[in-house]
Amino acid sequence: MDFILDRDDDTPQKTGYPPIDFREALNDEQYAAVTAAPGPMLVLAGAGSGKTRTLTYRVAWLLHQGIPPGEIMLLTFTNKAAKEMLHRVHDLTGEDSRRFWGGTFHSLGNKALRMFGDSGVLKLPKNFTILDADESESLLKRTVEAEDKSFFKDKTNPRPKPLFSVLSMARNTQESLAKTVDDHYPQYREIAVALPTFAKAYAESKRKQNVVDYDDLLELWLKLLTEDQKIADYFAHRFRHLLVDEYQDTNTVQSQIIDKLASHHCVMAVGDDAQCIYSWRGADFENLMTFEQRHPGTTIHRIETNYRSTPQILELANGVLMAQPTGRHFDKELRAARANSTKPYVVQAMDDREQAEFLVKRIRCLVEDEGVSPSEIAVLYRSHFVALETQLTFSRVGIPYHITSGVKFFERQHVRDLVAILRFIYNPADASAWQRIACLLPKIGEKGAHKIYNAAADHARLMQIDFVDALDTDDVKSKVPKASKEEWPSFCASLRQTAEDMRNETPQITVETAMDGWYGDYMKGAYADYMDRVDELTAMSGFAQRFDEMQDLLAQIVLLNGETNDRGVEDDSQAIRLTTIHQAKGLEYDVVFVIGCADGLFPGRRAIESGDVEEERRLFYVAVTRAKNELYLSYPKIASRAGPGGMLLTPSRFLQEIPPGLYEALRIKRSAGW
């Protein structure tokens, strides 16, 4: 196959663009990166330093140097980021964005496969179609069932969705399936030996149907670049300049694609090692740390002038970075472009409730007395369960909030499942609760659940026995689909034990019994993030300890969901933002509260147990650098069971590592106010 270097269209190349005073538009650090000579560059852009501006002006600079747009490739992680940058380039230069190769890794992978997928290496017909997530999981399910028809009958084995997550993680990290399971999905260790067979069969199923999934767009593109030298040479020479956004978030496959594309060494990788926080999604910290070794002659540009935060907030952020192990990071120090203000505050609360009450009081002062817009106030947290008390308190006192990291705690799927179990046992006449839990079993739909329910109700009346006991009788079991018969006894046994505890034990113990029984095994197979969800249900157990009667617990859950919440806010500007730190990356707020800053909560318990808290430290840095004007770091002294454990907590090691002079300790006055 022969190739010629051509552009995507026959539009004449512009010879002139509107003049731009690059020196005036950029600070010294940005200007040095934007105007650097061709060659491999690593741009370490600190938080709030104008990363997007630097990338945009670099593209404009290249155009001004006579580089045709068709010879520039811009790789991003989201379509939104690509569109934003190309739109800014258009505003600066008037250049048509369609003339660039700009977009996500996957979109450009698709473009490459359409051009060369039918080569001798892949033999992929150009009319291939792309499976969406649901279609990929459905095909994987059929493939696995063809290999092992009983695999999905074991409720502790991963369902298609988490199984696909395991295979996807292994493909994107280029690790063995055994190592992937060991590192990320330990609940599936017992079935790890079967996974290579499933992966191979799934790949063959896709080949026969001439379809690819999302991961194939990268894997097959890399295969082209690796195994077909002519295609590799085409890309290496076609694109004289390669610009990569958020380089610290690349996984192994993405990094290898960049290395192949940049074999001519005209690559500008923009990122920040201090913001590498997505290893759970496959991002590899080493990609950035070893960039210089893989691209000889790399020049490093540091962009450290921060336009977002006050000097005091940045001093604390720099204090966080100072605690990183030597040799495991790039030296950097953020400098503020803004005027001095108040120091960040560290707040010790007695427990989760007092922490939430502090938030209420301070937020009301900010909004009512200081005129801060509610939408400019964010409450950040490491994990969903840490925010349970905050959500409950905000709802109780009528503070509108918007959860940008997902749904409210009691609306999360696994929490609703557990609540449905409790509701049904408390009130067997609650057919809605029954239907929700029955439909979790294989091959039981709404009609089947209704049939089983009626049979159990009739038998309970006839034999004068409890509804739960009736479920395990022969008359009722005859209505259970064949696919569910194997786990029906454990399902019934779990309901019986939960019912017994509901009669004789506290609501807290009852909740723990329900989550440890059949449903605990169900979650293990249903969710790839099983351990995180266990933590959240443990938080629900902590909430339950407030109540002496199950009726009060169930009533309160319903009432809380019906009170003021994010869906009831007509004007989004009047709602406080509640979000995980991962979801907050790239965002900024006037005032930021980071809650749960205690060891075991942040850093998380599993990170501490593994002996590696460095990504957690980087996550803490990301949280701190979201704040523009005010920053509050709070933690509970005592962990109620609203989180793993019920014990005395110590301040987060990340707080203890910060020199005390960089923050003010704010004492809560428990007698009246704070």
Side-chain angles (χ1 to χ4, degrees):
M1 185 180 296
D2 294 320
F3 310 111
I4 59 171
L5 301 181
D6 60 357
R7 301 189 180 94
D8 293 338
D9 57 47
D10 296 324
T11 306
Q13 171 63 24
K14 287 187 178 182
T15 57
Y17 293 96
I20 300 174
D21 190 339
F22 289 91
R23 198 65 191 84
E24 178 66 25
L26 305 166
N27 65 33
D28 292 344
E29 299 162 334
Q30 295 167 339
Y31 182 79
V34 165
T35 62
M41 278 193 290
L42 183 59
V43 180
L44 300 172
S49 64
K51 167 180 66 67
T52 301
R53 185 176 186 84
T54 301
L55 277 166
T56 301
Y57 274 82
R58 177 63 174 178
V59 175
W61 172 266
L62 294 174
L63 295 175
H64 274 258
Q65 302 309 300
I67 305 298
E71 296 179 10
I72 300 172
M73 181 184 288
L74 178 63
L75 283 165
T76 65
F77 278 86
T78 66
N79 285 314
K80 180 181 178 182
K83 289 179 180 177
E84 179 184 356
M85 275 186 262
L86 291 175
H87 179 73
R88 292 192 187 186
V89 171
H90 174 77
D91 289 344
L92 282 172
T93 67
E95 185 59 77
D96 188 346
S97 62
R98 293 172 297 182
R99 301 189 65 199
F100 299 91
W101 268 54
T104 65
F105 283 85
H106 294 88
S107 65
L108 297 189
N110 173 58
K111 193 170 182 177
L113 293 181
R114 297 295 179 188
M115 294 173 64
F116 305 121
D118 60 350
S119 71
V121 173
L122 297 182
K123 295 185 174 62
L124 178 68
K126 289 187 178 181
N127 66 333
F128 69 85
T129 50
I130 304 172
L131 301 173
D132 63 23
D134 289 341
E135 292 165 339
S136 298
E137 292 161 15
S138 180
L139 178 59
L140 178 61
K141 180 177 184 293
R142 296 194 300 273
T143 302
V144 171
E145 288 175 337
E147 294 291 320
D148 181 356
K149 63 181 180 182
S150 65
F151 182 82
F152 291 121
K153 293 181 180 179
D154 186 337
K155 63 180 178 294
T156 63
N157 287 344
R159 307 298 196 275
K161 185 179 181 70
L163 179 59
F164 186 86
S165 295
V166 175
L167 301 186
S168 179
M169 176 67 79
R171 295 169 68 187
N172 282 289
T173 59
Q174 298 289 281
E175 296 281 4
S176 70
L177 282 160
K179 188 174 189 316
T180 299
V181 168
D182 225 35
D183 290 348
H184 300 280
Y185 310 98
Q187 67 267 34
Y188 302 141
R189 282 174 179 152
E190 291 184 4
I191 54 93
V193 67
L195 297 183
T197 300
F198 296 158
K200 183 178 179 181
Y202 174 60
E204 183 61 20
S205 295
K206 290 184 293 181
R207 189 193 65 78
K208 288 180 179 178
Q209 298 183 25
N210 191 30
V211 297
V212 300
D213 62 24
Y214 207 53
D215 295 326
D216 286 320
L217 298 175
L218 300 186
E219 275 198 314
L220 297 180
W221 188 15
L222 178 60
K223 187 177 178 69
L224 280 177
L225 295 172
T226 303
E227 299 183 16
D228 193 313
Q229 191 58 50
K230 289 185 177 180
I231 294 175
D233 289 343
Y234 170 84
F235 278 100
H237 291 93
R238 162 69 187 273
F239 299 103
R240 295 169 60 186
H241 291 271
L242 173 63
L243 293 84
V244 188
D245 189 23
E246 302 286 10
Y247 185 78
Q248 78 279 346
D249 295 336
T250 55
N251 60 40
T252 300
V253 174
Q254 290 164 334
S255 177
Q256 290 178 356
I257 288 172
I258 293 165
D259 290 350
K260 294 294 182 181
L261 293 173
S263 61
H264 57 302
H265 297 302
C266 284
V267 56
M268 179 184 196
V270 182
D272 183 2
D273 57 299
Q275 299 189 72
C276 184
I277 59 173
Y278 293 117
S279 66
W280 53 275
R281 215 166 60 184
D284 189 350
F285 182 74
E286 293 300 321
N287 292 342
L288 191 145
M289 299 305 298
T290 61
F291 185 89
E292 289 181 270
Q293 290 92 304
R294 301 195 317 279
H295 300 273
T298 292
T299 58
I300 295 179
H301 295 266
R302 288 175 169 81
I303 303 178
E304 298 175 330
T305 302
N306 176 287
Y307 295 92
R308 174 185 299 157
S309 306
T310 65
Q312 287 72 22
I313 291 173
L314 295 184
E315 286 176 9
L316 188 141
N318 290 329
V320 174
L321 297 184
M322 288 175 60
Q324 296 180 103
T326 304
R328 294 296 300 146
H329 62 93
F330 289 99
D331 292 333
K332 67 176 67 65
E333 183 175 353
L334 296 178
R335 297 182 302 276
R338 297 181 54 196
N340 285 321
S341 185
T342 58
K343 292 180 181 180
Y345 298 100
V346 172
V347 185
Q348 182 196 78
M350 184 59 66
D351 53 22
D352 294 329
R353 296 193 210 185
E354 189 173 76
Q355 180 177 242
E357 291 293 341
F358 163 74
L359 294 180
V360 169
K361 292 174 182 176
R362 182 61 190 133
I363 286 172
R364 281 178 169 168
C365 285
L366 287 166
V367 174
E368 297 172 6
D369 300 335
E370 301 176 32
V372 179
S373 169
S375 64
E376 283 294 330
I377 302 173
V379 179
L380 310 185
Y381 37 88
R382 171 64 181 88
S383 304
H384 289 285
F385 71 84
V386 175
L388 171 58
E389 190 63 50
T390 298
Q391 293 184 38
L392 298 177
T393 303
F394 280 14
S395 293
R396 176 171 54 81
V397 303
I399 290 183
Y401 62 90
H402 177 76
I403 301 177
T404 59
S405 58
V407 298
K408 292 190 301 175
F409 182 87
F410 285 109
E411 290 182 348
R412 291 176 61 77
Q413 186 170 333
H414 53 295
V415 177
R416 292 183 66 188
D417 288 344
L418 192 66
V419 171
I421 293 171
L422 299 173
R423 283 172 49 195
F424 168 69
I425 292 174
Y426 182 76
N427 174 23
D430 189 340
S432 298
W434 163 256
Q435 190 165 86
R436 181 175 184 93
I437 60 176
C439 289
L440 297 176
L441 291 157
K443 302 296 184 181
I444 295 182
E446 292 184 6
K447 290 184 179 179
H450 186 66
K451 185 185 296 184
I452 296 169
Y453 182 88
N454 286 339
D458 291 343
H459 197 78
R461 282 194 299 269
L462 180 65
M463 303 302 296
Q464 295 293 295
I465 60 176
D466 289 340
F467 194 104
V468 172
D469 292 330
L471 289 171
D472 205 22
T473 60
D474 291 339
D475 284 353
V476 177
K477 285 191 285 189
S478 68
K479 307 296 190 228
V480 176
K482 183 179 179 181
S484 291
K485 286 189 181 297
E486 187 174 335
E487 63 179 286
W488 189 257
S490 66
F491 174 75
C492 293
S494 182
L495 293 181
R496 280 197 303 273
Q497 185 60 58
T498 304
E500 182 179 339
D501 283 357
M502 191 174 290
R503 289 190 295 269
N504 302 315
E505 302 289 351
T506 65
Q508 181 181 13
I509 291 176
T510 304
V511 170
E512 292 171 353
T513 299
M515 61 182 278
D516 290 340
W518 168 85
Y519 188 69
D521 289 338
Y522 169 84
M523 282 206 306
K524 190 177 293 183
Y527 301 112
D529 58 346
Y530 161 73
M531 296 302 297
D532 292 334
R533 295 178 188 255
V534 169
D535 285 346
E536 292 177 14
L537 294 187
T538 303
M540 182 175 162
S541 164
F543 176 66
Q545 74 175 348
R546 306 177 185 185
F547 302 92
D548 296 325
E549 301 292 337
M550 181 58 65
Q551 64 186 24
D552 297 330
L553 168 62
L554 295 175
Q556 190 62 25
I557 290 172
V558 174
L559 292 172
L560 285 168
N561 271 341
E563 290 176 2
T564 302
N565 56 57
D566 51 327
R567 294 181 301 178
V569 182
E570 294 183 4
D571 183 1
D572 199 48
S573 68
Q574 298 306 305
I576 308 298
R577 270 51 179 174
L578 270 63
T579 179
T580 64
I581 302 165
H582 284 102
Q583 289 290 328
K585 185 176 176 291
L587 304 177
E588 59 183 32
Y589 303 93
D590 284 344
V591 182
V592 168
F593 297 85
V594 186
I595 62 174
C597 299
D599 267 12
L601 302 177
F602 195 6
R605 172 170 48 87
R606 286 190 292 279
I608 295 173
E609 291 172 352
S610 72
D612 185 7
V613 300
E614 291 312 303
E615 183 159 330
E616 297 277 294
R617 180 179 283 108
R618 296 193 294 269
L619 189 64
F620 187 72
Y621 169 82
V622 169
V624 166
T625 54
R626 298 312 93 195
K628 293 192 288 186
N629 299 326
E630 292 186 33
L631 173 65
Y632 298 83
L633 307 169
S634 66
Y635 65 96
K637 186 177 180 180
I638 299 173
S640 60
R641 283 295 302 254
M647 64 191 75
L648 190 67
L649 296 174
T650 59
S652 170
R653 62 194 63 195
F654 306 144
L655 287 180
Q656 298 184 54
E657 291 166 351
I658 300 170
L662 299 182
Y663 60 83
E664 297 283 353
L666 192 61
R667 186 169 61 89
I668 296 176
K669 296 180 181 179
R670 298 181 176 90
S671 58
W674 53 268

